[in-house]
Amino acid sequence: MEYWFYEEHTENVRWGLRIKNEIAHVKSDFQDIHLFETYDFGKTLVIDGTIQTTERDEFIYHEMIVHPPMLTHPSPRKILIIGGGDGGAAREVLKHDPQEVIVVDIDSAVIELSKKHMKFLSKAYSDDRVKIVVGDGIEYVKKHDGFDVIIIDSTDPVGPAEGLFKKEFYDALKKSLNDGGIISQQCGTPFYHPEELKNAYDLLSKIFKFVKPYLAHIPTYPSGMWSFVMASDDELKLRRVPEFETKYFTEELYYSSMSLPKFIKEYCHCNGDK
Ligand code: SPD
């Protein structure tokens, strides 16, 4: 008998992975979480029916949500990650030798599953500079400040993550950043849901002087075309070059990932030049 996991990308499109076995299934207070061992992509974390990360291609997402903002900031010391309970973003942030990394995830089940079964992500948690907070990222941002870089590594904008794509949250982010601070956020697939990137771009443009959408190719996410956005009141330009190991990100890719296809530029009314 063959077992497959299928993610519904639209009501007419499904994408599947053949499963070896289910490692864990947890219904937390917030989400329905599966961890599968798959044939081609290794360990695969699925939350509410949506692939969050796989052993084989997680490096692309985590490098791209972290290194562009971290290398744009001249000297990032205190970093906040909202979501990101699996630890993958924290692992990449540590490559920049920060003073302090705070991971705020609403769901302790994600953190615990990663600590137990996905050491390739959660190894960041053995570093003393990384502090885990289980709680609501929106409330956390309202009460804390002094961050150089804030990375919003969330699920898609439905359910617990919905508020992370709203103006009220972006206003709070701005207040909690130091001068010259930068945020980055994952903004979904512009192929199926360009409105997610447009919404983030439009709202962030009202709050920050500089906003840059950028893309990466992530095979296990819907359409494979994934978007991110960076925002700051300081010019978004590469201030340092990567002097650490990566598998996807390069200095050249910093700028090439910001070259947007025509349909995205037209839909979002962004030239990537704000
Ligand atoms: N459609 C899935 C988007 C998932 C984005 N977050 C992934 C979290 C990995 N740390």
Side-chain angles (χ1 to χ4, degrees):
M1 182 82 171
E2 284 192 3
Y3 290 98
W4 287 75
F5 163 75
Y6 289 105
E7 176 172 336
E8 282 200 11
H9 288 182
T10 74
E11 60 183 31
N12 302 310
V13 180
R14 292 159 97 202
W15 192 87
L17 281 175
R18 194 173 154 215
I19 292 166
K20 274 190 195 165
N21 60 285
E22 182 172 72
I23 299 167
H25 179 201
V26 180
K27 284 191 181 189
S28 74
D29 289 344
F30 301 97
Q31 308 172 113
D32 186 28
I33 309 167
H34 290 267
L35 182 61
F36 298 115
E37 183 67 54
T38 67
Y39 277 92
D40 279 8
F41 280 83
K43 290 185 177 143
T44 297
L45 180 71
V46 175
I47 297 184
D48 293 338
T50 304
I51 293 175
Q52 298 301 309
T53 201
T54 83
E55 195 166 357
R56 183 161 172 198
D57 69 353
E58 60 80 14
F59 67 95
I60 306 172
Y61 176 89
H62 290 123
E63 288 184 16
M64 289 304 283
I65 200 165
V66 168
H67 301 315
M70 291 295 285
L71 292 169
T72 296
H73 195 284
S75 167
R77 308 308 295 154
K78 188 172 166 185
I79 317 304
L80 175 64
I81 298 169
I82 295 178
D86 53 59
R91 180 196 66 200
E92 295 303 312
V93 166
L94 288 175
K95 294 179 179 173
H96 298 261
D97 199 20
Q99 249 161 24
E100 194 180 356
V101 186
I102 299 160
V103 179
V104 182
D105 198 299
I106 200 159
D107 201 335
S108 60
V110 174
I111 298 163
E112 294 313 317
L113 275 178
S114 186
K115 280 185 177 169
K116 188 163 177 198
H117 299 288
M118 295 188 287
K119 296 273 189 309
F120 56 96
L121 299 172
S122 58
K123 62 184 180 186
Y125 293 147
S126 55
D127 191 298
D128 289 346
R129 292 168 297 174
V130 180
K131 181 178 160 210
I132 304 174
V133 177
V134 176
D136 182 337
I138 301 173
E139 291 308 310
Y140 189 90
V141 162
K142 286 183 189 161
K143 293 181 191 137
H144 297 81
D145 57 14
F147 302 106
D148 297 314
V149 175
I150 302 179
I151 294 160
I152 302 116
D153 175 15
S154 71
T155 51
D156 296 317
V158 278
E162 214 175 333
L164 301 175
F165 295 80
K166 298 234 155 87
K167 183 163 183 304
E168 187 191 354
F169 173 63
Y170 293 147
D171 282 327
L173 282 181
K174 173 139 169 176
K175 287 191 192 130
S176 67
L177 284 171
N178 289 330
D179 286 348
I182 300 170
I183 68 119
S184 71
Q185 181 172 38
Q186 74 91 3
C187 293
T189 164
F191 185 79
Y192 290 128
H193 293 294
E195 72 283 0
E196 289 178 14
L197 178 61
K198 179 172 170 46
N199 170 62
Y201 180 80
D202 286 350
L203 292 177
L204 288 167
S205 298
K206 292 186 178 130
I207 299 168
F208 292 94
K209 284 192 195 137
F210 299 93
V211 184
K212 290 257 185 226
Y214 60 99
L215 302 176
H217 174 244
I218 304 178
T220 59
Y221 285 180
S223 85
M225 176 188 265
W226 211 251
S227 70
F228 302 84
V229 69
M230 268 195 287
S232 176
D233 279 341
D234 277 5
E235 192 185 348
L236 293 166
K237 63 176 188 190
L238 192 66
R239 293 194 169 78
R240 290 171 298 111
V241 292
E243 285 168 341
F244 43 78
E245 203 181 313
T246 58
K247 284 198 274 181
Y248 186 86
F249 181 81
T250 60
E251 182 179 349
E252 196 183 8
L253 205 79
Y254 179 89
Y255 290 109
S256 62
S257 67
M258 295 175 189
S259 293
L260 302 177
K262 197 172 171 190
F263 79 91
I264 300 177
K265 279 191 195 175
E266 287 180 354
Y267 182 91
C268 296
H269 297 290
C270 57
N271 291 313
D273 58 0
K274 184 176 162 32

